[in-house]
Amino acid sequence: AQRVTQPEKLLSVFKGAPVELKCNYSYSGSPELFWYVQYSRQRLQLLLRHISRESIKGFTADLNKGETSFHLKKPFAQEEDSAMYYCAHRYPGSARQLTFGSGTQLTVLP
Amino acid sequence: ETGVTQTPRHLVMGMTNKKSLKCEQHLGHNAMYWYKQSAKKPLELMFVYNFKEQTENNSVPSRFSPECPNSSHLFLHLHTLQPEDSALYLCASSQGLQGPYEQYFGPGTRLTVT
């Protein structure tokens, strides 16, 4: 079964420091990968998807097929980035099911 | 209200009660989903509906019974639940199933089974 692993449940960084949230997936083909974010008292929402190759709120994520990783990065963390981040995976061409990782709670300290 | 709404936001029920969760989407989407978010587990997909038809049941116990009367509404009927069913139940919708469609989530219903 496909699986998404986020090894860090909690991650704390200081404001202005770089941040990297790790995500690894288990799928040998060409996956569709996403990062979702849930800010305090807000609903879960899409942050970015790998096919868009976009930067949202300063975050980027590069798909590394060799390492089967899709780590989320930001060079300078801000306090408003504090949130729960979920990596998600979907079989390509079968968009009905997202498999989520267990999430990483990011805290950006002042 | 726009987006995906869920009612109630909080629910406490006994193991012998019968209750229902409601989800409504105002986005014109065709697919709707129920997820379970427990404290110590990843977000788990429960059911998927597309054009009112159930396309996926992720081995969910029969004490959870979904209903999708139209593409805008989704219900989750609950009966004889167990304490371990206490969790946040999230509803989501997307434009469709095929294609790179984003899923839009509701705020969730926090369920406590006593």
Side-chain angles (χ1 to χ4, degrees), chain A residues 8 23-24 29 31 34 41-42 53 61-62 68-69 72 79 92:
Chain A
E8 303 144 327
C23 172
N24 289 90
F34 308 80
R41 300 178 183 175
Q42 294 188 28
R53 295 183 176 274
D62 293 321
T68 58
S69 68
L72 183 68
E79 290 182 68

Side-chain angles (χ1 to χ4, degrees), chain B residues 4-22:
Chain B
V4 181
T5 58
Q6 290 185 243
T7 54
R9 296 293 305 276
H10 300 272
L11 177 63
V12 179
M13 60 185 289
M15 289 190 285
T16 58
N17 291 158
K18 288 185 180 181
K19 296 287 183 183
S20 295
L21 310 185
K22 179 182 176 182

Side-chain angles (χ1 to χ4, degrees), chain A residues 43 49 86 93 95-97, chain B residues 4 37 56 97-100 105:
Chain A
R43 61 190 66 193
R49 66 192 92 187
Y86 294 93
R96 66 182 188 274
Q97 182 172 353
Chain B
V4 181
Q37 188 175 31
E56 190 147 348
L97 293 185
Q98 297 297 327
F105 285 82

